[in-house]
Amino acid sequence: MKAWLVVVLLVLVAGCSSAPAPGESEEFDGSSLDSTHWTAYDGFNRASGETWRAAQCTVSGGVLKLRADSSGVCGVASLTQRTYAKAEVRARFSVPAGQGLAPVFLYWPENDGDWPQAGEIDWLECYDTSRQSFGSWIHYAGLSGADDSDNAGDFRVDMTQWHTYGIEWSASQVQVSVDGQVWHVYTAHIPRGPMHLAFQIDRIGAVTGPAEVEIDWVHESG
């Protein structure tokens, strides 16, 4: 995640830790986002010029859909905080996808003000508008205290089809996987405090068209 995007999250995800803990599985079978389990970002951030629109995060037909375009972007965050976790997400990514919009699946610190010291795990971050590859990063505070990161490189997969994207975060490592295939293991700069799961589409530049992500289900355990 780009550093200027952090400001948006500092403003909009505050207070997540006070809500009731959700169960370990979410099938999105209702007609709206379950507000006891999830929160949708909503509001304008002056620092980034980014507008988060909760109305662009919708649930229908057993699917959570995130949509972003030139009018605004979409993101949701779990209300459960975990220190170490395993999660799997069944998702697909629509094409054509406009430039300037990057879908991200991540773990973000419980206390926003602790970033970057508390770390951040971007276990899926897609800049490829053809949706044929994605990357992964772990963010941490460097020697100067500023944001630094480790990059796993890119994993190639047809993201326009349904796949299961996974992460297993423990005290010693973070594994990222697709359909059960581990494609990278981080062993340094592992976050060691409570974090929550989030799904969002970030604005990273001039927007040339919409971007959409569909999430069928989420399975998470501590």
Side-chain angles (χ1 to χ4, degrees), residues 87-132:
E88 291 185 315
V89 179
R90 190 74 172 171
R92 67 179 176 184
F93 299 72
S94 298
V95 289
Q99 295 180 354
L101 296 167
V104 188
F105 295 176
L106 69 151
Y107 272 99
W108 179 260
E110 177 180 21
N111 298 312
D112 298 334
D114 291 343
W115 190 93
Q117 286 73 22
E120 173 188 352
I121 308 172
D122 297 330
W123 49 287
L124 180 157
E125 189 162 3
C126 182
Y127 296 96
D128 180 0
T129 56
S130 71
R131 302 303 190 237
Q132 296 297 305

Side-chain angles (χ1 to χ4, degrees), residues 27-119:
E27 306 294 333
F28 301 110
D29 288 333
S31 58
S32 63
L33 196 65
D34 185 344
S35 61
T36 66
H37 293 179
W38 303 90
T39 184
Y41 313 151
D42 198 60
F44 178 73
N45 183 270
R46 293 181 181 277
S48 66
E50 207 169 28
T51 299
W52 293 93
R53 297 189 184 278
Q56 293 184 189
C57 307
T58 59
V59 176
S60 64
V63 170
L64 166 64
K65 180 180 285 187
L66 312 181
R67 177 180 172 83
D69 53 32
S70 59
S71 72
V73 293
C74 170
V76 302
S78 170
L79 300 180
T80 292
Q81 310 294 336
R82 301 182 189 274
T83 302
Y84 313 128
K86 180 178 181 179
E88 291 185 315
V89 179
R90 190 74 172 171
R92 67 179 176 184
F93 299 72
S94 298
V95 289
Q99 295 180 354
L101 296 167
V104 188
F105 295 176
L106 69 151
Y107 272 99
W108 179 260
E110 177 180 21
N111 298 312
D112 298 334
D114 291 343
W115 190 93
Q117 286 73 22

Side-chain angles (χ1 to χ4, degrees), residues 129-150:
T129 56
S130 71
R131 302 303 190 237
Q132 296 297 305
S133 67
F134 68 92
S136 174
W137 283 261
I138 281 185
H139 289 258
Y140 59 94
L143 293 177
S144 68
D147 174 38
D148 204 343
S149 63
D150 296 333

Side-chain angles (χ1 to χ4, degrees), residues 185-213:
V185 179
Y186 295 96
T187 57
H189 306 119
I190 307 301
R192 305 192 186 281
M195 305 181 106
H196 58 268
L197 189 60
F199 309 110
Q200 57 201 53
I201 303 176
D202 293 336
R203 198 190 75 178
I204 58 170
V207 176
T208 63
E212 292 185 350
V213 179

Side-chain angles (χ1 to χ4, degrees), residues 155-195:
F155 184 86
R156 294 198 61 80
V157 63
D158 183 358
M159 302 174 73
T160 68
Q161 303 300 309
W162 290 106
H163 292 283
T164 300
Y165 300 93
I167 177 173
E168 190 163 353
W169 163 36
S170 70
S172 60
Q173 62 183 25
V174 171
Q175 293 186 142
V176 287
S177 64
V178 177
D179 296 329
Q181 174 190 347
V182 175
W183 69 274
H184 189 77
V185 179
Y186 295 96
T187 57
H189 306 119
I190 307 301
R192 305 192 186 281
M195 305 181 106

